[in-house]
Amino acid sequence: MPVSDSSDGSVWLRRERPPRDRQLSRGQIVDAAVPVLDAEGHRGLSMRRIAADLGVTAGSLYWYVRTKDDVLELALDRVLGEVGADPDEPDWRLGLAGLARNTRTMLLRHRWALLELTVRPNLGPNAFTLAETGLRLLSRAGFADADLDAAMATVNDQVVGAVIAEVAWRDTLTRMRRSGVEWSEHATTLYLRDVAERHPLLARRMAAAKGSDAERDSERRFEFALTCLLEGLAATCRAGADNAAVSP
Amino acid sequence: MPVSDSSDGSVWLRRERPPRDRQLSRGQIVDAAVPVLDAEGHRGLSMRRIAADLGVTAGSLYWYVRTKDDVLELALDRVLGEVGADPDEPDWRLGLAGLARNTRTMLLRHRWALLELTVRPNLGPNAFTLAETGLRLLSRAGFADADLDAAMATVNDQVVGAVIAEVAWRDTLTRMRRSGVEWSEHATTLYLRDVAERHPLLARRMAAAKGSDAERDSERRFEFALTCLLEGLAATCRAGADNAAVSP
DNA sequence: ACCTGAACACCGTTCAAGT
DNA sequence: ACCTGAACACCGTTCAAGT
């Protein structure tokens, strides 16, 4: 997972050329890339494909962008713009929960964005706006300085981690359905029976998962994690406030 | 990120061939793959490279494995075996914290494993053992049924999310150092000044991050998240117990 | 049964040459 | 200044042919 490597740094630090005889723009490149990513994932996106959709040759894209990675970085910020959040929500827990839920639904719409989100720090304008919103809500909760950072990171990491797991699981299910795999096949049954003997708790949970609706389960889990985390954050910042009040 | 697609399912369900004139084994293939992944990441690993290191041709690997993805799946379970954890630790919070910390250090040793971990559900033997350990600790905490699943997922997702962010950040820093980028360059300064104006909280946090040790910060954040989460879990399962005691 | 060697159908990126 | 067209140096995977 390489990222731009030269000394002029991230895409965001290199202004787009002033238009002259241009037929293209970074915006148009992203316009072409996002639908392909949504429909076919990273696998479906090639520089040749983008170029073809725009009616040019692959080489010409490199006039606007230095690597394919730049395209993905731009595409990520584009979809981050779809996440709505209210920085002025008076109840910080409601505000953060909303931010988390909106992020989740955006990521389910643009699954490819998960990888981009996790591969490099995010320096696009929409990423910054979202970060500021989160920080605002958490600072209203009472966090400051290093704890403010840590709290923000904790929420982000939980959302990203949860959606990654959810998407991986959903993809596997659809792949299995498409290729007609059955859990009841011989080798599978033997393997799982073996597993069950050594891992009783796991076996019970797998059995329970079989009958239930995967989509509903993921959503329940996401909400469980969210309330759990907000509860923990509230407790932590109460403790911090108490300590501050007690110590000089 | 495609995974095995045919109807015989995951690698784990296909037994290795009985030896006859074999020069290779899945084990040897993994032996060759892991060091390459550790040293050069996904980018450095090709079927041709593995084959060369084993003194055979690329094509022959396909006798043991159906896709490159199979190799990665096997490699992941190999390194999951390095994570130690005590399922019988009497204090469940200590036990889970230990599991989380050990997972983190393993993932920092084998950064490529993060992507594998997140791309598909994990069906290898070592993955199962770790899952059982986590479930055991959490069931001792008082979780059961769907909440047991949810609690386990929450912890896992937090660890994975946190380490992903940590690795992304570290990689960016080393990349910047290697290519000699300076935050003080002209374009960067302008861009960041612009950001600071619109995002005061973010600007303050970025300024604070500049002077501090990234490695120490990540560890602090990881611990913050961990205590936060365990606190939240404890509260949630107390609440669950209370409800159960009150309602019929 | 296992491995080779060559081929197929792709990649991202570069760069002379055109306009 | 911008774009083309061809090339370079790779990929994963397949498969006849060998042993």
Side-chain angles (χ1 to χ4, degrees):
Chain A
M1 274 141 308
V3 173
S4 38
D5 219 275
S6 109
S7 60
D8 26 306
S10 143
V11 227
W12 302 108
L13 305 178
R14 300 187 311 276
R15 316 283 320 138
E16 193 162 14
R17 278 166 205 281
R20 239 172 82 153
D21 316 323
R22 285 216 245 111
Q23 308 183 4
L24 256 48
S25 69
R26 284 183 178 176
Q28 288 175 64
I29 293 176
V30 176
D31 288 342
V34 170
V36 176
L37 286 166
D38 287 345
E40 303 172 43
H42 283 94
R43 273 295 172 112
L45 192 76
S46 68
M47 296 301 268
R48 285 169 171 87
R49 169 73 185 272
I50 297 174
D53 288 359
L54 291 170
V56 295
T57 349
S60 67
L61 297 176
Y62 289 85
W63 192 258
Y64 299 89
V65 121
R66 208 181 36 213
T67 60
K68 184 187 181 184
D69 232 73
D70 277 3
V71 178
L72 292 168
E73 205 165 342
L74 293 166
L76 173 61
D77 204 67
R78 163 76 56 91
V79 297
L80 283 178
E82 296 175 11
V83 178
D86 178 12
D88 298 315
E89 162 65 48
D91 182 344
W92 65 272
R93 292 168 80 148
L94 271 183
L96 275 180
L99 179 55
R101 290 190 194 104
N102 291 348
T103 305
R104 171 170 174 266
T105 58
M106 183 279 280
L107 289 172
L108 292 177
R109 236 182 352 256
H110 306 290
R111 301 174 176 214
W112 53 271
L114 259 171
L115 184 59
E116 299 319 310
L117 201 55
T118 58
V119 136
R120 63 187 141 243
N122 235 289
L123 302 176
N126 289 325
F128 282 143
T129 304
L130 286 176
E132 183 77 9
T133 300
L135 289 173
R136 184 107 139 241
L137 290 164
L138 281 168
S139 75
R140 187 168 312 139
F143 289 104
D145 303 321
D147 280 0
L148 180 56
D149 270 349
M152 186 75 261
T154 304
V155 178
N156 280 337
D157 295 346
Q158 180 66 51
V159 171
V160 168
V163 183
I164 284 181
E166 176 174 356
V167 166
W169 183 238
R170 284 191 188 205
D171 285 356
T172 306
L173 287 180
T174 62
R175 212 163 26 232
M176 277 174 31
R177 248 191 299 277
R178 197 175 45 213
S179 63
V181 183
E182 282 306 323
W183 284 106
S184 54
E185 266 169 36
H186 193 60
T188 312
T189 311
L190 287 184
Y191 185 69
L192 292 184
R193 176 172 312 158
D194 207 52
V195 167
E197 271 170 28
R198 270 193 289 272
H199 309 297
L201 288 169
L202 188 58
R204 277 185 51 171
R205 296 285 72 225
M206 285 174 73
K210 227 159 137 184
S212 68
D213 174 19
E215 195 161 337
R216 242 180 89 41
D217 286 355
S218 322
E219 207 163 323
R220 261 192 100 268
R221 272 209 277 268
F222 188 83
E223 292 296 328
F224 178 97
L226 207 52
T227 54
C228 211
L229 195 59
L230 292 176
E231 190 64 39
L233 281 171
T236 305
C237 93
R238 270 197 306 274
D242 292 352
N243 286 347
V246 171
S247 60
Chain B
M1 277 142 307
V3 173
S4 37
D5 219 274
S6 109
S7 60
D8 26 307
S10 144
V11 228
W12 304 106
L13 304 178
R14 300 188 311 275
R15 317 282 322 138
E16 194 162 14
R17 275 164 206 284
R20 238 172 83 156
D21 317 322
R22 283 217 247 112
Q23 309 183 4
L24 256 48
S25 70
R26 283 182 178 178
Q28 288 176 65
I29 292 176
V30 176
D31 288 342
V34 170
V36 176
L37 286 166
D38 287 343
E40 304 172 42
H42 283 93
R43 274 293 171 113
L45 191 76
S46 68
M47 296 302 266
R48 285 170 171 87
R49 168 72 184 272
I50 297 175
D53 288 0
L54 291 171
V56 295
T57 348
S60 65
L61 297 177
Y62 289 86
W63 191 258
Y64 299 88
V65 120
R66 209 182 35 212
T67 61
K68 184 186 181 185
D69 232 73
D70 277 3
V71 177
L72 292 168
E73 205 164 341
L74 293 166
L76 174 61
D77 203 67
R78 164 77 56 90
V79 297
L80 283 178
E82 297 175 11
V83 179
D86 178 13
D88 298 316
E89 161 65 48
D91 182 343
W92 65 273
R93 291 168 79 147
L94 271 183
L96 275 180
L99 179 56
R101 289 190 195 105
N102 290 347
T103 305
R104 171 171 173 264
T105 59
M106 183 281 279
L107 289 172
L108 291 177
R109 237 183 351 258
H110 306 290
R111 299 173 177 216
W112 54 271
L114 259 170
L115 183 58
E116 299 319 309
L117 200 55
T118 57
V119 137
R120 63 188 139 243
N122 236 291
L123 302 177
N126 289 324
F128 282 142
T129 304
L130 285 177
E132 184 75 10
T133 300
L135 289 172
R136 185 106 139 242
L137 290 164
L138 280 168
S139 76
R140 188 167 313 137
F143 289 104
D145 304 320
D147 280 359
L148 179 57
D149 271 351
M152 186 74 262
T154 304
V155 177
N156 281 337
D157 295 345
Q158 181 67 50
V159 171
V160 168
V163 183
I164 284 181
E166 176 174 357
V167 165
W169 184 238
R170 285 192 187 204
D171 284 356
T172 306
L173 287 180
T174 63
R175 211 164 26 233
M176 277 175 30
R177 248 191 300 278
R178 195 174 47 213
S179 63
V181 183
E182 283 306 323
W183 284 104
S184 55
E185 265 171 36
H186 192 62
T188 312
T189 311
L190 286 184
Y191 185 69
L192 292 183
R193 175 171 312 156
D194 207 51
V195 168
E197 270 170 28
R198 269 193 289 272
H199 309 298
L201 289 170
L202 187 60
R204 276 184 52 170
R205 296 286 74 226
M206 285 176 73
K210 226 159 139 185
S212 67
D213 174 19
E215 197 161 338
R216 239 180 91 39
D217 285 355
S218 322
E219 206 164 324
R220 261 193 99 268
R221 272 209 277 268
F222 188 82
E223 292 296 328
F224 178 97
L226 207 52
T227 54
C228 211
L229 195 59
L230 292 175
E231 189 64 39
L233 281 171
T236 305
C237 92
R238 270 197 306 275
D242 292 351
N243 287 348
V246 170
S247 61

